[in-house]
Amino acid sequence: MASDHPLLISSPQTPRAVEDLPTIPIYTDLAKSGSENPELASAMDSNNPLGNSANTEPTLNSYFRRSNSSTKSRASRGNSVREVSFDNSGSKPPRHGSRGAESDGLSISQRELSDEDARLIYINDPGKSNERYEFAGNTIRTGKYSILTFLPRNLFEQFHRLAYIYFLVIAILNQLPQLAVFGRTASVLPLAFVLLVTAIKDAYEDWRRHRSDRVENNRTALVLGDEGFHEKEWKNIRVGEIIKISANDTLPCDIVLLSTSDPTGVAYVQTINLDGESNLKTRYARQETISRMSQNERMSGLIKSEKPNRNIYGFQANMEIDGKRLSLGPSNIVLRGCEIKNTAWAIGVAVYCGRETKAMLNSSGAPSKRSRLESHMNTETIYLSGFLVSLCTIVSVLAAVWLRRHRHELDYLPFYRRKSYEDEDDPKNYKYYGWGWEIVFTFLMSVIVFQIMIPISLYISMELVRIGQAYFMIQDNKLYDEASHSRFQCRALNINEDLGQVKYVFSDKTGTLTENKMEFQCASIWGVDYSGGTTCVPGDGYSAQVDGQVRRPKMKVKVDLELERLSKIGKQTEEGKPIHDFFLALAACNTIVPMVVETPDPDVRLIDYQGESPDEQALVYAAAAYGFMLLERTSGHIVIDIHGERQRFDVLGLHEFDSDRKRMSVILGCPDNTVKVFVKGADTSMFSVIDKFSNKNIIQATEGHLHNFSSLGLRTLVVGMRDLNSSEFDQWKLAFENASTTLIGRAALLRKIASRIENSLTVLGASGIEDKLQQGVPEAIQSLRMAGIKVWLLTGDKQETAISIGYSSKLLTGNMTQIIISNKSKESCKKSLEDAIVTSNKLMTQSGVAQNTEGTSGTAGTPVALIIDGTSLVYILDGELEEQLFQLARGCSVVLCCRVAPLQKAGIVALIKKRTEDMTLAIGDGANDVSMIQMADVGIGISGQEGRQAVMASDFAMGQFRFLVPLLLVHGHWNYQRMGYMILYNFYRNAVLVFVLFWYILYTCYTATSAISDWSSVLYSVVYTSVPTIVVAILDKDLSSRTLLKHPPLYGSGQRDECYNQKLFWITMVDTVWQSAVIFFVPLLAYWRSTIDGPGIGDLWTLGVVISVNIHLAMDVMRWTWITHAAIWGSIVATVICIFVIDAIPILSTYWAIFNMMGTGLFWLCLLGIIVGTVLPRFVVKVLYQYFFPSDIQIAREAEKFGFSRELGGGGMQIEMNPILEPQQRLSR
């Protein structure tokens, strides 16, 4: 259990006094602690911390250095790998997007602060602060509506659906006396019901948001007043007020720290409510404000800050106190929603309140996406609209002909009677407006009668079905991550069915395929590779004595015995000095916070190294294992136990990592009165600042070791150092102090100063850190590929590391031919692409990948893997070469993109989306994956070690990559199959009724009267037939999960659009015409010469339609449950009861009609004839088609039914799966 107080203080971010040099306030991107953090990994590109990185990242980083060693055959894997490398490393490397210190293409928090972008905050004077500027109050409001705006705004949002506008027009037309077909009330009910249900759902959700807002706004905090601190509700806090926060309290707004309980001004902050990260972070108060608050003086001053923005990892401001101008950065601000930990209290001034806080600005969800199936449904809806217009046109034309033929009889026809004879001397026309207008009115009345051709209930049914499907996905234990105790999250309900049609998966590496739990494996120091003898040290490893207690690292690290022996020699020997400096750099060049963890033994304490980066944690633990244990970190110094000797190092400056430099450095004042700068970073960045004219052999050896480490899949980092003489240090100090207080161009100046001191370094060595694959990743990738899904790996890692991970994850196999493209100019990229396309086509032709003339799926002889780096993509994604890359990539089995930036990831996804109709899925866990996740059709966030940025931007979230298999192959397949069938069934059931009404009009002189009662028309889509289709679409399963997981090729049915396509639509419409004809003409002919009235035969038609469509549905159900039985047969019973009730009401025209009909045998004979006539032909056709042309799904279902699942794909019973065709070979849509 951790103690309540930290053992040590974090690295400095602000000066303690004039002599102490403050840390450079670099406004870092959220550098992914995984593979995309070049400082901590292997030259990966920077991330954009903003929620919408696709729109805000200003630049692409340059990738201009790669290992001199080409990728060689990996005989050690037992595979013979052929490689075709298109590399042009001789040309001078460009600096795309890496504009150096003078870069101005920065995000809102990185841009230099100017007067136009600033706002003034008067400390402890909220009146003056808010008098001149209209700052937001601290009231938050996440609700969308108020009591006054709910009705108009909700209706406005709902009527964004064109179908609702269509039904509104129909309802309005029915209110006109000339067009009244149904009762005026009855015609409004369907639309009103749908609008009411949606409004109730929206109102309930908004009520919950308002309730949460009230709880949040009414919380209290301590605010400084005339008589000291007093409680004040959060909603009343204003910008400029001074607030006091106690330990474990949540911050009510964004504050700039003024003082803390720690004399050095440090505060420990947990941001789990903001970004999901549980590691403690350090924030600092300026020393000038600490002294003022400690003396209980009335604090006053002016803060000039940037305008509110979404960047939670950047902040830029200046503070003026007592005539001094102090710079403020991200380390000085604590955001709303964060909690103070291990700090008794903290005092700060409110700078952003309410909706202007960074947390609230980031509260918007992911962009809305639309289901592919729903988009295709719109095409069929247009066809149905065409049907509707055609039917109405036919009726109006026939009505015109009939009126013309009978124009002389219209005055006397009993059922028409054009004249009113109330005044016998001068009879006038009765509701007759002339031949032309009668035709127009007939057309409009027909539209009203046939309105349900467009199924209004389908939209609400789809919403309910998606909610039910989401519930079962969330409750599935196969998607439950025991390690993080997190269930599957369905954050976007409108694309569930898209999970069943995915063709491309774009995956991040670190934290997605790997665990993002770093473990130090090996090191290269001074040209010597220490990677062969790592072993666990017996006992508890290295420990140090502190105040009579034993302190040990919390995590044990395997050590190289030879390296451990040499580390004890000390820095006095030539052999031991570089090793001493190397581990000193690992222990000192970081922002790790050492914390004490109690143990059952009161004399033993564990040191838990907490930090934002798992890489830094691994390196500090490694240094401790070799006897360089970081014990203490304050705002001005660090204490390191070096083999039993505690040494204090003054931290004179700390240059944090930034995306331009791709490295970090620390300036230490050593015990021997020397000043040294230690630098660590990515190899692409470090070798550009290494002194290459000295120790050439060591540099070459280190480069070779880096290549070997990367080939093993390790994440590499280069460490260097140099001594600073007094003149260099003084120059740096003066320049730094001037830059840190500059109003204009401060960030660029600080980057420039950092780059000047980080040069002419002596290389000390390199480290290798292992990021292990997650459990089940190789098996998952293999299953996805068997399902016909192409998996592309998009990573910021080095090429060698990415290839190694590709092999270990089975993304790359030994029989693949690798095409490697790594170029440094547009011309060379074009040439490489052309050559690669020729090579790929030749390989595909030779191996018979193309479809053979017999029409069977050719055997994949030699699959091709494309490996391309980010530098090449800079030129290719520029536009002109995109088409060539697409032609090359689509023919490859695997595409592996290394050293790619976040925008390049999104660009690769867009490359496929723009040129194919294939469904794309992107999966990642970090902020740099947000743009890719939002670009793909389906975005999945991994709730892992890197915060919740990816989760918050995703459509679905889960804990492990392997969960992708049951999600797609099982739930995705089920969701697509169910939703596709439900849409077709809704079209069918409504069209059946419309065609019955159409046949009836043809036999009633085209008068656009309805064959069934008004109330039955209203209840048909709401009560009679709605529940069964919803239940079946939620619960039905064509195959068990076991079968779907065992045979991944079954997933191809969704990729081939087997459950919903235009062919099925037209077949359904033909079946609809036949069934409607049977339902209408059987009773008509049976009662042709009888005296039955319209309401009586109308009830028979109603029962015939309802029973037929429900039996039609029952024939297609594959997994019966008691709920399914209750829904289908209960729907028929409910219809009978409703007709009984309607016909028992005396004031209605249908009074007692059904009871008179049911008393005769002919009624029951007609009902039986309708059922047989509608169901039997369809049953016969279905049996014959499945017998002679069975699909994969039908064969697998039969095998399940008869207990042959064990033989599926085995030796007893072989199933030949249909080939997964390319788009041009699929069923026509």
Side-chain angles (χ1 to χ4, degrees), residues 509-521 536 555-556 558 614-615 712-715 769-778 797 801 804-805 808-809 945 960-961:
K509 184 186 79 66
T510 303
T512 303
L513 298 182
T514 62
E515 294 181 350
N516 199 21
K517 295 180 179 179
M518 311 305 167
E519 184 176 329
F520 183 88
Q521 291 294 326
C536 288
M555 187 176 72
K556 296 185 65 175
K558 294 180 180 179
D615 295 80
L712 296 174
L714 301 181
R715 301 154 58 80
I769 300 175
E770 181 182 13
D771 187 8
K772 294 183 178 179
L773 283 177
Q774 292 181 9
Q775 178 185 351
V777 166
D797 265 335
T801 303
S804 177
I805 292 295
S808 60
S809 63
Q945 304 291 318
Q960 296 284 327
F961 179 86

Side-chain angles (χ1 to χ4, degrees), residues 29-47 61-63 510 613 615 619 657-664 680-686 715-719 767 796-798 899-902 928:
D29 289 340
L30 171 58
K32 186 175 182 182
S33 55
S35 61
E36 282 69 32
N37 186 344
E39 171 222 354
L40 303 175
S42 52
M44 306 171 199
D45 288 285
S46 64
N47 310 305
N61 294 309
S62 62
Y63 310 84
T510 303
S613 166
D615 295 80
L619 293 176
F657 163 82
D658 74 76
S659 58
D660 284 329
R661 292 164 38 245
K662 296 195 282 287
R663 55 185 177 266
M664 75 167 294
K680 69 176 182 182
D683 57 351
T684 55
S685 170
M686 290 295 294
R715 301 154 58 80
T716 57
L717 194 69
V718 177
V719 179
S767 63
D797 265 335
K798 293 177 60 177
R899 295 191 185 268
V900 288
N928 68 329

Side-chain angles (χ1 to χ4, degrees), residues 604-641:
V604 177
R605 295 289 186 271
L606 299 181
I607 296 182
D608 181 13
Y609 293 119
Q610 293 204 11
E612 301 180 31
S613 166
D615 295 80
E616 282 196 339
Q617 290 174 302
L619 293 176
V620 176
Y621 276 116
Y626 283 97
F628 292 74
M629 183 183 293
L630 177 63
L631 294 178
E632 181 179 339
R633 185 184 292 277
T634 70
S635 59
H637 69 272
I638 58 175
V639 175
I640 302 176
D641 181 286

